[in-house]
């Protein structure tokens, strides 16, 4: 049995029922085969076995009291996956579907994503099965304080630096930071995505969505094409989706559809982003509101139908496995040219293979959404230097990083005879640096 197959079989046997983790490990390990076969020292040092086993998994109880004085208990997680190239770095997700498998798949992806940024950050991820929907600000604050009361013993500006993800945005980072500072008496860069008044970086809010579109534009530009005049679908309507729409529109694309977890909107005239921002960022309301406010817009219950809308470019920006084989086939049938993954692992393994067979340009998540964590690393640099860069400065660095990642994964794919296979290219380019650092540091 080949080394990668052996390790993959062990991952499945040793981590039963962790389906999302198995899926990410399968995608990654399978595409690393050509690299691994050139490097026998990986097997001799059990490098892959170490790569798929988190350095540390922290599970904890998060008790909190709601506005009616009822006590609730949620699960808290932090997976400190790999610190070979820098302190653990990765977001916190608050969503009822969070479990160990989800956090481990996100953590594994994060190792390679962070490596691709070219910046010194290792991989980690955390979160809770807490559902922020419908909670008051005070309930959110008490939950975040309880979460950080435990987490603060495990994180630190040079140890592990969490940030946002689904259900964790500026409000939650503020409450988490306040509690960390209160307990530790240290005003340091222990979290990124902080507010601008207390150490945050300009352009971090926009970074993931903007970065996704910078890479999309580069992939089109090298093919003598561009987003100008393209019809685009962006799933989700959270942080990543909103700023992907903003940048795509500024480059002349027409975004016609978005969704939240209840249903999708279709606006053939092009989405009015100010209305979306008002509904989602200010009111925290449902996207169905959009069709009540904008003439000519339609609302449809359920998410899946969005992929039946004809488009040139699809940017899935909500959650894992939102594009399955059936959705991929519908997109292909309608002539999609490029799929850029804003969310983490939004396409199932069957969906990926359908896109690849059809010759659709697929920009994989760990490359395409790396702009968020890259800008987090720029926030860390500003915190350490005790200074601030302008929006233009950060945005320019972000764009440079995204263009660079695109060419690195393109070159890595070509080097192994896999031209155009960016799933393999991103995994290979990200893995090489991590492997080199792990080898240099001995058996740890
Ligand atoms: P937000 O919480 O801001 O937004 C999430 C959006 O996705 C919401 O519109 C939400 O709808 C929707 N959504 C969540 N779960 C589902 C589901 N099961 N079915 C349908 N829609 C769903 O999160 P972000 O925008 O920050 O994150 C989106 C994706 O991008 C995630 O995969 C995340 O891991 C990834 N990502 C985020 C980065 C960041 O910097 N924030 C960086 C890199 C990747 P609803 O409100 O109804 O729940
Ligand atoms: O998936 C991701 O890269 C994020 N949620 C952002 C992580 C970060 O540390 O900025």
């Amino acid at each position: 049995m080949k080394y990668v197959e052996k390790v993959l079989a062990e991952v499945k046997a040793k981590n039963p029922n962790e389906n999302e983790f198995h899926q990410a490990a399968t995608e990654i390990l399978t595409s690393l085969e050509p690299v691994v076969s050139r490097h026998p020292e990986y097997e001799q040092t059990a490098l892959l076995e170490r790569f798929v086993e988190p350095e540390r998994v922290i599970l904890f109880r998060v008790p909190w009291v709601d506005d009616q004085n009822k006590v609730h208990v949620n699960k808290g997680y932090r997976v400190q996956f790999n610190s070979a190239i820098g302190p653990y770095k990765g977001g916190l997700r608050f969503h009822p579907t969070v479990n160990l498998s989800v956090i481990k798949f996100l953590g594994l992806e994060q190792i390679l994503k962070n490596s691709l940024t070219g910046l010194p950050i290792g991989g980690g991820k955390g979160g809770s099965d807490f559902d922020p929907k419908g909670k008051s600000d005070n309930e959110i604050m008490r939950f975040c304080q309880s979460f950080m009361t435990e987490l603060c013993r495990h994180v630190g500006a040079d140890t592990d630096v969490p940030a946002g993800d689904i259900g964790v945005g500026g409000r939650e980072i503020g409450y988490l930071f306040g509690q960390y500072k209160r307990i530790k008496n240290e005003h340091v860069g222990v979290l990124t995505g902080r507010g601008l008044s207390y150490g945050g970086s300009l352009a971090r809010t926009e970074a993931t969505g903007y970065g996704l579109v910078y890479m999309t534009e580069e992939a089109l530009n090298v093919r003598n094409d561009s987003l100008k005049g393209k019809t685009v679908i962006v799933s989700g309507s959270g942080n990543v989706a909103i700023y992907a729409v903003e940048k795509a529109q500024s480059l002349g694309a027409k975004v016609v559809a978005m969704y939240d977890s209840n249903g999708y909107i279709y606006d053939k005239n092009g989405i009015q982003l100010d209305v979306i921002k008002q509904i989602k960022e200010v009111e925290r309301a449902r996207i169905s509101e959009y069709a009540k406010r904008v003439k000519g817009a339609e609302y449809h219950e359920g998410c899946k139908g969005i992929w039946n809308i004809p488009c040139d470019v699809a940017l899935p920006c909500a959650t894992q496995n939102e594009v399955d084989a059936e959705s991929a086939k519908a997109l292909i049938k309608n002539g999609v040219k490029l799929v850029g993954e804003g969310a983490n692992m939004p396409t199932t393994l069957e969906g990926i293979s359908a896109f690849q067979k059809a010759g659709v340009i697929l920009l994989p998540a760990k490359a395409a959404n790396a702009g968020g964590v890259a800008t987090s690393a720029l926030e860390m640099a500003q915190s350490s230097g005790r200074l601030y860069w302008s929006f233009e400065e950060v945005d320019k660095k972000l764009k440079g990083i995204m263009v660079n990642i695109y060419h690195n994964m393109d070159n890595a794919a070509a080097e192994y005879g896999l031209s155009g296979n960016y799933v393999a290219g991103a995994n290979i380019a990200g893995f090489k640096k991590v492997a080199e650092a792990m080898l240099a540091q001995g058996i740890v």
Side-chain angles (χ1 to χ4, degrees), residues 17 31-32 37 88 94 103 135 142 164 189 242 244 254 261 282 284 286 331 344 355 361 392 394 425 432:
N17 306 318
S31 63
L32 291 180
S37 61
Y88 309 109
F94 292 170
I103 299 298
K135 304 291 189 296
R142 287 195 295 273
I242 285 175
K254 187 178 183 187
S261 58
V282 181
R284 297 180 189 274
R286 307 315 300 163
L331 283 162
N344 284 304
F355 286 134
I361 305 164
E392 291 68 29
V394 180
K432 276 184 161 176

Side-chain angles (χ1 to χ4, degrees), residues 27-166:
E27 185 224 277
I28 292 169
L29 291 178
T30 310
S31 63
L32 291 180
E33 163 57 26
V35 187
V36 171
S37 61
R38 282 193 202 175
H39 290 274
E41 69 276 23
Y42 292 170
E43 186 165 5
Q44 285 150 15
T45 59
L47 193 124
L48 287 183
E49 289 88 334
R50 289 186 285 135
F51 174 71
V52 295
E53 191 65 40
E55 289 174 17
R56 193 173 296 105
V57 173
I58 300 150
L59 296 177
F60 52 99
R61 175 168 79 201
V62 191
W64 59 281
V65 183
D66 72 16
D67 290 345
Q68 284 72 47
N69 285 325
K70 187 168 181 294
V71 181
H72 298 261
V73 179
N74 284 99
K75 285 180 183 289
Y77 301 84
R78 186 71 183 165
V79 173
Q80 298 181 330
F81 222 122
N82 192 301
S83 60
I85 66 173
Y88 309 109
K89 181 83 197 86
L92 297 171
R93 177 177 291 190
F94 292 170
H95 195 272
T97 56
V98 162
N99 56 37
L100 189 56
S101 170
V102 168
I103 299 298
K104 280 172 67 181
F105 110 66
L106 290 163
L108 187 65
E109 286 278 299
Q110 198 82 42
I111 302 169
L112 300 181
K113 179 194 311 193
N114 293 4
S115 169
L116 284 169
T117 67
L119 298 165
I121 39 178
K125 201 84 192 189
S128 175
D129 59 357
F130 173 72
D131 186 358
K133 272 200 200 85
K135 304 291 189 296
S136 69
D137 277 358
N138 276 329
E139 288 172 329
I140 298 284
M141 181 179 73
R142 287 195 295 273
F143 176 81
C144 289
Q145 290 176 339
S146 180
F147 187 87
M148 184 52 87
T149 300
E150 173 60 29
L151 188 69
C152 74
R153 337 161 182 265
H154 310 289
V155 297
D158 292 318
T159 307
D160 183 359
V161 182
D165 194 84
I166 292 178

